[in-house]
Amino acid sequence: MAQVAVRKIRKSFDRTDVLRGVDLDIAHGEFISLVGPSGCGKSTLLRVIAGLETQTDGDVLIGEQNVNGVRASRRDLAMVFQSYALYPHLSVFDNIAVPLRMRRLNAWQRLPVAGRLVPGVRRIDREIGAEVERVAALLGLADLLGRKPGQLSGGQRQRVAVGRAIVRHPKAFLLDEPLSNLDAKLRVHMRAEIAQLHRRLGATFIYVTHDQAEAMTMSDRIAVMMAGNIVQVGTPDEIYSHPRDIRVAEFIGSPKINILPGRVEAEGRVVVLGLPLDQRVDAAPGTAVRVGIRPEAVRPTSGSEPAWKGSVGYVENLGSEVFVHVEVGGVDEPVLVRLEPSEARAIAVGSPLALLPRPSAASFFDDRGHSLPVRPLAYRQAAHG
Amino acid sequence: MADVTLRQDAAVAARPGRRPARDISRLREQWTAIALSAPALFLMALLLIGPVAAVLVMSFTDYQLGASAIAFIGLENYRDLFSDRVFWTSLGNTLRYVAIVVPASVALGLGVALLIESGDSLKRFYRAVFFIPVMATLIAMAISWEYMLHPQFGLINLLLKKVGLAPHAWLTDPALALPTLAVIGIWQLFGFNMVLFLAGLVSIPRHLYDAAELDGVRSAWSRFWLVTWPMLGPVTMFVVIISAIRSFQVFDTVQVLTKGGPNKASEVLLYTMYSEGFEFFRSGRAAAIAVVFLAFVLTLTVIKARLIEKRVHYL
Amino acid sequence: MSIATRLPRPAAIARHLVLLVLAAVTLLPFVWMISTSLKPQAEVFLSEIRWWPEKLHVVENYTAAFAKAPLLRFLLNGAVVTAAIFVLQVAVALPAAYALAKLRFRGRQTVFALVLFCVLIPPQAIAVPLFLLFHQLGILDSYAALIVPFTISVFGIFLMRQFFLGVPDDLVDAARMDGISEVGIVWRVMLPTAIPAVTAFGIFSVVAHWNDYFWPLIVLNSEPLFTPPLGVAAFRNAEAGTDYGPLMAAATVIIAPLVVAFLFAQRRFIEGIAFTGLK
């Protein structure tokens, strides 16, 4: 059962189409990331789900209910904003309490002094207070409840924004680039915290980010968006290892995947820069294909077997790993190889280096960028039969 | 390192009269700065600081324009002033004027700004219309108001008659003169306040409204009290002070329309100072009034300066 | 889209209704002024409301206005005085602002403190000593009397300094490397970067001094020197409630330059006045 679903969502601002017919089903309790380069429409999709923008066409379903035309405040969702959007004049306590006060007290009961005279308000206030304190304890904000947002660090503000979202039990949590305003170290730390929070709450999280590493590390599934469409939805592993589109292959993974020119020969065998690979594709002989091979799937070889011959152009030593840029004839971009430091010790700039791909590690894309189905060598007879 | 420094020092010492290059460029910068600010400093001294000092000094003298003698009479001018009914009427009228114009022009400015920002259409048109009175020469408009307020042929009374209400002698009725001037003051000022509020409204982060919506805020009323009003707080204080300073300086309409009358009913501080200083040429006494005026405006301005410093307090 | 959600239709209509009524009230003095300036005397003194005259007296009223008072002369005086004030203000304030923002010199704190103090002084409060000073100098009742007190705009210094603080020091250093003198830097480097601030200040200055009534009233006697507000007030005193058609025509002529300029460059005017008002 889908907790949140969108069907054929289109959204245009003036004449530009920001979303061009997006379909997505998000299961209850799932952590899904919408990831893509800036301008791909991921934030707009999130705001359409939230009800902050109205789609030009298509349906949004929350808990199987069509919520088209239902305003954001009635969709029972919570959101963490990129800028945190904390009320600067309210204390941390009050910021977290706002969603509860707005829902449990009416305008009269919320009046500063007079409201407290209404019967029952004191009790509700006490309940709200208890819940705020529970959330604050969970997020380590207990000592900061009296402070104003202006007196908090970026990380603390971020936690308050999360607290304001989780103090209720909404149908889903929407997070719009919540970590992008934090410094690199804190960002990595908060990733872990948010992932743990998701596990503890067991709630549906829809997480927008442009940072593929965030998406990879936190999500159950990732939806990669490009130019207003979802190009691929899958687990991080699927997305990484079996990209369905060359743009996905290039967007996911750091450093970037190597893209090499190849040609299909007899029986779907692919030859890349003179080297036949061990995989076969469903394509007519003579077809030009683009072949994606991850940097860790390329190995240096000292043997005499056929290999890509090149020379080392540049060595990036990050300490824990080493990226070797190898200039190979027939490609403009150097081929990137990821090595353990121990493997890279002998490699010097300018020296020749022969490279081989690991078995069954390449992805193949046609001239439109779509991935081509791959048949491992061993199954070739069966597949043809 | 230390060696090099030592040798440099030795070199400087060896050539007496030559300063190190650093000092020369410092000195040049010093003189450039003084030369560039000299005209401004001279004019400030002559036209602002000098006169402020002079006004203080004069307020302790019996100076009259054209008089051959001048004597220090201590606090005499102030004693006179504070025992003069006209002065107290004048001060009281000024404060009453401020007390009418400030809340009304601030509330109207805020209300109009909120209404304009709550929709999309005709925003520029409304903004321009409400701003025109701020631009238009007040004296010319005062003359137009005077004709509109004419007891017999004025548009206001004609309109009142049309709906069956009694006409009034707006500018010659002692009970109405000051409030009528205040209405003109409000008319002239609220567009200015509106523009300041519009700037304040635009600078409220959009995300706060989004957040409020997701927090379950449904009515415009709740949204106003949760987001708009607190975020406008600093701007509002600021607008109040600016309006107070501006309305404290009311003069043009009084001078043209009522001359402080009838029977001092619209006598205001600047008008009193003007008639003492430039109609009766009792300069000492006018200076004393100027000092009182200055005290009020300075207090307000200092509050304003404090507010500007405090404006960052949310961030 | 402005404050959060879109207004429902009835609310949108109510918004226009309220705003249109307020706009009508706001414009009433202008409408009535212009309407009266078109009317023959017979239609001015009526006991009924007549928005549009039966007999148009445009030419008569406006020629009468220009004949009875030297309106063109008033407008010219206004233009000369406001232009001179603005040019001198910039000439004095810009170098000082540059020095305060970009040069290190002993006494800078003191100079800036003086500027801040002077910003606090309302011009009316020092009118008496200034009047006496000008009396001593014998320059009362002259263009000089109208212009000199406003040649120093401490507010302008303050504003320009704030603006220059935001100009990167590198720009100044680069100009020095190119061999431009300090005075050259002020006028050929800083002034062009400060055009938006100077424009805003200019609008503020021109509006303030075109409309100023207090100071010209004090120092002027001779009609040929009158600025527009003084001129229209004198016209009214001379006519004293008899001939409203030409009087309203004169008032219309006096407010026209600024109002027309405003309608053509609304954004600049509003920015100029709001931005200078907020600082």
Side-chain angles (χ1 to χ4, degrees), chain B residues 131 134-135 192 195-196 199 238 242 245-246 301 304 308 311, chain C residues 86 89 119 153-160 162-163 194-208 267-279:
Chain B
F131 198 71
V134 182
M135 303 283 322
F192 181 79
V195 165
L196 298 187
F238 196 78
I242 286 202
I245 294 175
R246 292 198 157 206
T301 321
K304 180 177 94 175
I308 292 180
R311 216 142 52 110
Chain C
F86 172 59
Q89 281 178 334
V119 169
S153 171
V154 274
F155 178 66
I157 296 177
F158 179 76
L159 203 69
M160 297 303 158
Q162 298 300 92
F163 187 86
I195 288 298
V198 173
T199 313
F201 174 66
I203 287 171
F204 164 82
S205 166
V206 166
V207 169
R267 255 220 3 242
R268 285 206 175 286
F269 269 74
I270 290 176
E271 272 167 13
I273 293 189
F275 152 82
T276 45
L278 265 180
K279 294 293 156 79

Side-chain angles (χ1 to χ4, degrees), chain B residues 204-287:
Chain B
I204 298 176
R206 210 65 322 153
H207 275 155
L208 285 183
Y209 289 108
D210 291 345
E213 178 74 26
L214 278 149
D215 284 345
V217 173
R218 282 164 202 157
S219 66
W221 174 259
S222 308
R223 193 161 50 232
F224 178 78
W225 290 113
L226 180 66
V227 180
T228 312
W229 179 247
M231 295 305 288
L232 277 184
V235 177
T236 308
M237 282 309 292
F238 196 78
V239 172
V240 166
I241 301 291
I242 286 202
S243 304
I245 294 175
R246 292 198 157 206
S247 46
F248 208 83
Q249 301 179 357
V250 57
F251 173 79
D252 295 11
T253 45
V254 176
Q255 203 275 339
V256 172
L257 298 181
T258 64
K259 302 260 185 237
N263 195 20
K264 308 284 176 207
S266 63
E267 181 87 18
V268 292
L269 217 47
L270 271 188
Y271 188 74
T272 314
M273 185 192 91
Y274 167 79
S275 37
E276 290 287 348
F278 304 102
E279 284 177 342
F280 306 119
F281 296 109
R282 289 195 284 250
S283 307
R285 186 162 175 154

Side-chain angles (χ1 to χ4, degrees), chain C residues 2 8 32 42 55 86 139 142 151 156 182 204 206 210 234 251 265 271:
Chain C
S2 31
W32 198 240
K55 227 178 98 206
F86 172 59
I139 56 167
S142 69
T151 50
E182 292 295 313
F204 164 82
V206 166
W210 180 276
E271 272 167 13

Side-chain angles (χ1 to χ4, degrees), chain A residues 1-183:
Chain A
M1 181 189 113
Q3 177 72 356
V4 177
V6 295
R7 300 266 179 269
K8 299 201 168 41
I9 289 288
R10 297 182 165 277
K11 175 73 185 173
S12 315
F13 291 106
D14 295 324
R15 295 246 177 84
T16 41
D17 296 332
V18 180
L19 298 174
R20 303 157 182 261
V22 175
D23 285 288
L24 184 62
D25 279 69
I26 299 160
H28 180 78
E30 188 175 25
F31 191 127
I32 192 162
S33 292
L34 306 177
V35 67
S38 62
C40 70
K42 54 192 189 298
S43 282
T44 308
L45 180 59
L46 193 74
R47 291 174 62 82
V48 166
I49 294 172
L52 294 171
E53 307 276 359
T54 310
Q55 65 271 31
T56 313
D57 199 13
D59 300 309
V60 179
L61 291 88
I62 296 174
E64 310 281 276
Q65 298 273 314
N66 188 315
V67 294
N68 292 357
V70 176
R71 60 185 293 185
S73 53
R74 296 188 184 274
R75 289 190 183 188
D76 195 17
L77 302 169
M79 187 155 170
V80 178
F81 293 85
Q82 181 173 12
S83 65
Y84 315 137
L86 301 178
Y87 306 111
H89 57 288
L90 297 181
S91 66
V92 169
F93 181 96
D94 288 330
N95 262 290
I96 299 178
V98 163
L100 299 179
R101 289 212 176 115
M102 287 299 157
R103 286 185 160 78
R104 295 186 191 169
L105 298 171
N106 64 33
W108 289 112
Q109 295 168 329
R110 285 200 302 269
L111 286 179
V113 182
R116 313 221 70 203
L117 303 174
V118 180
V121 169
R122 277 164 185 276
R123 186 181 48 79
I124 299 174
D125 257 351
R126 265 200 307 279
E127 287 168 12
I128 291 174
E131 284 174 59
V132 171
E133 271 157 26
R134 179 182 56 79
V135 166
L138 181 70
L139 294 171
L141 293 169
D143 297 335
L144 305 173
L145 283 173
R147 298 226 194 139
K148 296 274 172 73
Q151 301 164 302
L152 301 179
S153 69
Q156 290 166 335
R157 280 184 223 182
Q158 212 272 339
R159 266 173 235 246
V160 178
V162 170
R164 184 172 63 175
I166 67 173
V167 74
R168 294 192 295 125
H169 301 282
K171 295 213 178 83
F173 292 96
L174 313 179
L175 300 95
D176 187 6
E177 307 247 10
L179 305 184
S180 63
N181 283 340
L182 302 179
D183 64 51

